[in-house]
Amino acid sequence: MFEKRFKDKLLIQRQAGLYRNPPQIEKREGKYVFVNGRKILNFSSNDYLGLGTSRELAEKVAANFKRYGASSSSSRLVTGNYSVISQAEKAFAEYFGYSDALFFPSGYQANMGVVSALFGRDDTVIFDKHVHASTVKGMELSKAEFLGFKHNSMSHLKKRLESRSEKQLFVLTEGLFSMDGDFPDLGGIAGLKKTHGFLTLVDEAHSFGALGEKGRGIGRSIADVAVGTLGKSFGLFGAFALLPEGFKEYLFNFSSPLIYSTTLPEAHAASALDALEIVFRCDAERETLRKNSLLMKEALGADGFNTCGDAHIIAVEIGDEALAASVSRNLSERGVFAFPARFPTVPLGRAILRVGISALHAPDDIAIFVESLKGAYEKARSEIRQDLHHGN
Ligand SMILES: Cc1ncc(COP(=O)(O)O)c(C=O)c1O
């Protein structure tokens, strides 16, 4: 019975152009991945500073695991509250300018663990409709009332705030949106915060490390709570929540995903500190990333592509799901990879090619990408036309 249900649902997924089937990556070398023995230039990683393949970081991480062992063997609240972890969290809090920090095994778990615990049945949470799936999952688990506002629309946010003015309100947004690649309206949110006095959570998964002075992100002026991941610019894995006074104690007592899960090992905390120290030194990489991003945006625009994105994530607008998948496939055949983001990651009928830029890229790589995309786009369109002609 399950078999038939799965088969039917997968068939519908295929017919809608939404079928997901990740390519098998044989190995990675800096900005390249190897698929079926072919070397592919990768424009879909979140390795913004190039630390994901840094020899220096890999050696430090290996030394930490050798020294501390591979597992904490306990949840944080039983015998997993190691001094090394607390010290590393203190260093993260200081670096980013918050009272406290708390590590989580992933950004997904951090958003879920923080959002589900902070809000309850009597609260109203107002969120930008383009926040990450993990934040949405956290809201669902919290049982709070949650109201979306149109992506980056301050007039809609204001309306939402006014509709619930009698309540203690919370607003959730991102430092750099993971699919649109744009910034939140910091000035707009700051103004509304003054009038309505809400608390703000900013997910800086894509901005910490890569943007702001020394990688400190862009949302500090509006954020009461921030979430960062170590799996993107930091070249590691795991995540951290940055918190005001009193929140850490609260989460220790009420965050189910934190309480009932094995804590990351000491070696991870020591490695997070090493990654932070490297991120501090990465001014040159941040500058290269900024220049690469600008170059990509200009080159795509000059060739007539409609794009969205203010920094190192650029969304090339495609629209049709099957066309986006086909463009990505044709691009791979030309030795370049960019991920086709489709529903439910983005709204239905608004599929994009999500281009992730890295400090590892050179200007020539960007020229190769744009040239390949032109060819791939034309080929994909003609394939779709032929399919329609043959009634497929
Ligand atoms: C905005 C945002 N928040 C959180 C996450 C989750 O982070 P992690 O990959 O560490 O689970 C992601 C990852 O894709 C993201 O894009």
Side-chain angles (χ1 to χ4, degrees):
M1 181 183 133
F2 275 106
E3 235 177 50
K4 169 146 176 39
R5 200 169 86 192
F6 291 167
K7 262 193 187 153
D8 289 349
K9 283 193 84 170
L10 284 170
L11 184 64
I12 294 170
Q13 192 84 338
R14 269 185 204 278
Q15 286 167 342
L18 298 173
Y19 186 70
R20 294 164 187 244
N21 185 23
Q24 191 68 57
I25 309 291
E26 287 140 14
K27 63 172 175 169
R28 169 161 76 142
E29 273 175 16
K31 61 192 174 190
Y32 297 103
V33 287
F34 289 75
V35 180
N36 291 329
R38 290 175 61 233
K39 190 173 176 181
I40 310 264
L41 183 56
N42 189 2
F43 275 95
S44 268
S45 99
N46 300 315
D47 189 13
Y48 303 127
L49 300 177
L51 299 185
T53 53
S54 146
R55 211 53 249 153
E56 181 192 3
L57 182 58
E59 277 167 14
K60 288 189 167 173
V61 172
N64 289 327
F65 275 87
K66 216 165 166 185
R67 174 172 175 195
Y68 292 105
S71 177
S72 66
S73 309
S74 166
S75 75
R76 185 78 181 260
L77 273 88
V78 182
T79 55
N81 192 30
Y82 290 98
S83 300
V84 180
I85 303 178
S86 305
Q87 282 157 13
E89 287 175 340
K90 191 160 178 280
F92 268 73
E94 275 172 19
Y95 191 86
F96 290 99
Y98 290 75
S99 292
D100 271 318
L102 194 49
F103 287 160
F104 283 86
S106 73
Y108 194 102
Q109 213 168 323
N111 275 328
M112 211 167 58
V114 170
V115 173
S116 67
L118 291 187
F119 313 124
R121 223 176 269 286
D122 296 332
D123 295 317
T124 297
V125 183
I126 302 179
F127 67 102
D128 187 294
K129 283 189 177 176
H130 288 196
V131 293
H132 192 253
S134 52
T135 303
V136 175
K137 187 55 72 185
M139 287 190 287
E140 286 168 3
L141 289 175
S142 76
K143 303 203 170 65
E145 175 191 38
F146 48 97
L147 300 174
F149 64 94
K150 283 182 210 146
H151 178 51
N152 267 342
S153 166
M154 292 302 102
S155 56
H156 199 206
L157 171 58
K158 184 166 179 277
K159 231 186 238 168
R160 292 297 202 202
L161 290 163
E162 284 167 354
S163 74
R164 296 291 186 282
S165 57
E166 76 288 359
K167 287 194 162 188
Q168 164 73 69
L169 297 171
F170 305 89
V171 171
L172 312 184
T173 188
E174 289 185 8
L176 179 71
F177 280 88
S178 61
M179 290 296 138
D180 311 86
D182 53 358
F183 294 130
D185 181 345
L186 292 175
I189 294 177
L192 290 170
K193 194 169 158 77
K194 242 186 221 153
T195 323
H196 294 272
F198 52 81
L199 289 185
T200 315
L201 186 151
V202 183
D203 179 347
E204 299 230 39
H206 295 275
S207 36
F208 278 155
L211 297 174
E213 193 254 339
K214 295 284 177 197
R216 290 189 173 95
I218 67 135
R220 188 64 191 99
S221 61
I222 59 160
D224 298 286
V225 177
V227 169
T229 176
L230 295 165
K232 304 189 195 295
S233 291
F234 285 76
L236 191 65
F237 59 92
F240 51 99
L242 297 164
L243 306 161
E245 189 83 40
F247 277 46
K248 186 166 177 172
E249 179 190 3
Y250 188 81
L251 292 173
F252 269 157
N253 282 276
F254 295 107
S255 174
S256 178
L258 175 79
I259 298 167
Y260 298 106
S261 183
T262 300
T263 197
L264 285 166
E266 293 164 280
H268 172 269
S271 304
L273 266 184
D274 288 330
L276 185 63
E277 192 268 323
I278 297 175
V279 160
F280 174 79
R281 287 193 256 122
C282 274
D283 283 342
E285 286 77 3
R286 277 183 285 272
E287 182 55 16
T288 305
L289 182 63
R290 192 187 67 77
K291 286 186 178 153
N292 281 348
S293 308
L294 213 60
L295 195 62
M296 178 66 95
K297 178 108 180 145
E298 283 170 3
L300 286 168
D303 268 310
F305 289 103
N306 287 330
T307 62
C308 174
D310 298 326
H312 46 271
I313 298 170
I314 295 180
V316 180
E317 295 169 13
I318 306 282
D320 180 74
E321 283 75 21
L323 180 63
S326 176
V327 173
S328 174
R329 207 169 36 248
N330 276 291
L331 205 49
S332 292
E333 279 164 17
R334 288 165 167 76
V336 179
F337 187 70
F339 177 70
R342 293 161 289 166
F343 180 79
T345 308
V346 295
L348 202 58
R350 305 258 300 275
I352 57 164
L353 219 58
R354 182 194 180 275
V355 184
I357 297 150
S358 167
L360 294 174
H361 292 132
D364 279 355
D365 297 324
I366 289 161
I368 290 170
F369 177 83
V370 178
E371 210 40 48
S372 307
L373 180 60
K374 278 197 291 186
Y377 190 74
E378 278 319 307
K379 176 105 189 294
R381 272 170 48 126
S382 77
E383 280 171 2
I384 295 241
R385 273 198 298 267
Q386 273 171 16
D387 276 356
L388 286 175
H389 185 68
H390 291 115
N392 291 337

